[in-house]
Amino acid sequence: MNLASLASQRYTTKAYDPARRIPQATIDELLAMLHQAPSSVNSQPWHFVVANTEEGKARLAKGTHGNYAYNQPKVMDASHVILICARTELTEAHLAQVLQQEQNDGRFRDAEARAAQFRTRQGYVDLHRFERKDLQHWMEKQAYLALGTLLLGAAALGVDATPMEGFDAVALDAELGLRERGFTSVVMVSLGHRSEKDFNAALPKSRLPAEQVITAL
């Protein structure tokens, strides 16, 4: 697998073939990749909502009304749609659950290693909560790490994808009851196979010259 080739070939799909479905085994692999996505100090401040039915996609499409109507076909015609959400707060309960899972998975050689991990993670949480005062923004950054993992995984598996911020997050949070569960919607990704009507498929990919954006030290 040539990762550079995958990156050059993938693009943001503008129209999907509603008749083509992604096999469940492929979706399971993509969800496994999302589950293993990196996050700062392993904070995992996210939740993923997967729509794979017409009813499920219609619920997500409720965030694409009004000014965002241009994205509605990308939701309804796709095979699957994944909504990446961030936590609205890093609660003590969540941090304790992460620490216990690390313990269960054998990441600590002894009690001091566990305590050090707790102190390190709590230090970063407190840094963003009290000093930088950007905790929500920091958590959403972790959601975008998951997005990058998903997009590269989709390209590797021959699945077309469209990342979208163009939706009404307030409406979608209300539709799915996200805030009551401690989450808020951040970015939506349609997955499927491109339609013949997808004008973007025929366009060459365009990036600034590598030497302009990459500096070697």
Side-chain angles (χ1 to χ4, degrees):
M1 180 187 300
N2 187 312
L3 292 179
S5 178
L6 284 176
S8 67
Q9 292 173 19
R10 74 147 305 278
Y11 72 102
T12 298
T13 302
K14 300 299 183 182
Y16 286 91
D17 182 347
R20 297 188 64 185
R21 296 280 297 173
I22 301 172
Q24 187 59 46
T26 301
I27 289 296
D28 290 343
E29 192 166 357
L30 287 173
L31 293 178
M33 291 187 69
L34 269 177
H35 187 219
Q36 298 297 329
S39 62
S40 180
V41 291
N42 199 28
S43 53
Q44 304 175 58
W46 48 44
H47 189 77
F48 310 114
V49 178
V50 184
N52 64 353
T53 64
E54 293 305 306
E55 294 77 12
K57 289 186 293 183
R59 292 189 69 186
L60 293 187
K62 290 185 178 180
T64 60
H65 294 164
N67 292 335
Y68 305 108
Y70 59 90
N71 275 331
Q72 189 167 339
K74 301 184 189 78
V75 174
M76 293 307 301
D77 291 341
S79 171
H80 291 65
V81 183
I82 297 178
L83 181 66
I84 299 177
C85 308
R87 287 185 168 272
T88 55
E89 177 58 80
L90 275 178
T91 63
E92 290 185 8
H94 173 71
L95 295 174
Q97 184 179 18
V98 170
L99 190 68
Q100 185 58 51
Q101 188 64 54
E102 291 169 332
Q103 174 78 44
N104 296 345
D105 291 335
R107 289 184 59 84
F108 307 129
R109 66 181 181 276
D110 53 31
E112 177 51 38
R114 175 186 169 117
Q117 174 71 340
F118 170 80
R119 290 193 300 269
T120 297
R121 185 157 45 231
Q122 192 65 55
Y124 275 98
V125 171
D126 289 344
L127 171 69
H128 289 282
R129 177 182 285 134
F130 300 119
E131 295 182 35
R132 297 186 178 176
K133 299 187 183 299
D134 66 345
L135 184 61
Q136 186 62 41
H137 183 56
W138 183 65
M139 289 190 288
E140 291 181 5
K141 285 182 178 179
Q142 315 316 311
Y144 278 91
L145 290 178
L147 171 65
T149 299
L150 176 59
L151 294 179
L152 186 58
L157 295 173
V159 173
D160 292 316
T162 307
M164 294 174 283
E165 287 183 322
F167 61 87
D168 186 338
V170 174
L172 207 47
D173 286 0
E175 168 64 24
L176 301 176
L178 290 174
R179 295 189 187 180
E180 292 82 354
R181 298 164 59 193
F183 301 103
T184 185
S185 50
V186 175
V187 61
M188 190 154 43
V189 184
S190 291
L191 300 165
H193 296 285
R194 69 194 70 169
S195 164
E196 293 180 356
K197 299 177 182 178
D198 183 12
F199 68 88
N200 212 25
L203 298 177
K205 195 160 188 174
S206 178
R207 292 294 186 270
L208 292 170
E211 59 271 19
Q212 187 173 333
V213 298
I214 299 173
T215 298
L217 300 178

